[in-house]
Amino acid sequence: MVSRVIYRPFEEGDFDALAAIMQATWHSETPNDEYNKLEATYDLAHALSISSFSQVVLVDGEPRGVVLARAASDRLPYAAAWDHAKEDILQQMWAIDKRATAGYLAFLKNEERVNGRLLEQSGISGSDQITLLAVSKTTRGMGIGSILLDAAASYISSRGAKGAFLYTDTDCSWKFYERRGLKRAAEYRATREERKLLPREMYLYGLDLSA
């Protein structure tokens, strides 16, 4: 049976379905499913807060993937609203599991530190970034990830940028980016102590848009 596939910008009604994809992919560490869901919603709200472009794929009417990006030349019109949502989500996380929330915030702090180091090492300037790419496991192999990545690249290029970057790590499908022509510009191997919070290796990939 041929699926009906549609690509369009993010709508608020997509949020829960996209958060569920992120939960299944990256947020299942604790035995408390309610907490894991909130952690995923926080992650998605953060990505939306720092993005100026979105593209969601609907397969038979259901959101099955998303790409978000930020062009340095564009405003972030919904940043304040998503930042406010993050505060509310964080309060709910604290109420359910203080220890898990503290661990997650420690992870975010260390991730930010390492990402800053990766960006400095890469020599890439500007803030043209692919901020999120997530595709449901049920629809992988359909070429959806490639189409979403191309959409983000086209958007950033249309704003006059000659390149873009993204962060990824060994908890993600980083080889996908290499197959799509992105080049690893910096990498970081976590220490034994850091591995309690961080992935084993973290990467910054660059995308040449000058051609």
Side-chain angles (χ1 to χ4, degrees), residues 4 13 15 44 60 92 95 105 130 137 140 163 166 207-208:
R4 183 167 178 259
F15 188 91
L44 178 55
D60 296 330
Q92 296 178 62
L105 292 177
I130 298 168
K137 295 177 181 179
R140 290 177 187 171
L166 60 83
L207 177 62
D208 185 3

Side-chain angles (χ1 to χ4, degrees), residues 3 66 71 75 80 92 99 101 108-109 119 124 134 139 158 161 176 207 209:
S3 298
V66 61
R75 294 173 54 252
Q92 296 178 62
R99 182 175 180 179
T101 304
L108 292 178
K109 181 178 180 180
L119 187 58
I124 294 175
T139 52
S158 73
F176 164 79
L207 177 62
L209 299 173

Side-chain angles (χ1 to χ4, degrees), residues 111-179:
E111 180 186 54
E112 183 178 11
R113 171 181 60 83
V114 173
N115 283 348
R117 180 172 175 174
L118 289 171
L119 187 58
E120 183 178 354
Q121 289 177 351
S122 73
I124 294 175
S125 59
S127 55
D128 300 285
Q129 179 186 357
I130 298 168
T131 53
L132 174 67
L133 176 61
V135 178
S136 170
K137 295 177 181 179
T138 62
T139 52
R140 290 177 187 171
M142 295 174 61
I144 286 172
S146 295
I147 293 172
L148 290 173
L149 185 63
D150 287 346
S154 295
Y155 156 72
I156 292 173
S157 179
S158 73
R159 295 302 189 267
K162 301 302 182 183
F165 71 92
L166 60 83
Y167 297 111
T168 188
D169 55 58
T170 45
D171 289 344
C172 302
S173 301
W174 55 269
K175 291 182 180 179
F176 164 79
Y177 298 114
E178 295 188 349
R179 293 195 297 269

Side-chain angles (χ1 to χ4, degrees), residues 4 19 45-46 48 76 104 164 166 174:
R4 183 167 178 259
H46 173 70
L48 287 163
L76 302 176
Y104 180 61
L166 60 83
W174 55 269

Side-chain angles (χ1 to χ4, degrees), residues 34-83:
E34 184 180 359
Y35 171 84
N36 292 336
K37 180 179 179 180
L38 285 168
E39 197 175 274
T41 62
Y42 184 95
D43 194 4
L44 178 55
H46 173 70
L48 287 163
S49 75
I50 62 171
S51 302
S52 54
F53 169 84
S54 66
Q55 191 84 165
V56 172
V57 58
L58 305 179
V59 179
D60 296 330
E62 295 294 326
R64 296 293 179 85
V66 61
V67 68
L68 302 176
R70 171 176 60 192
S73 60
D74 282 358
R75 294 173 54 252
L76 302 176
Y78 307 110
W82 287 117
D83 283 340

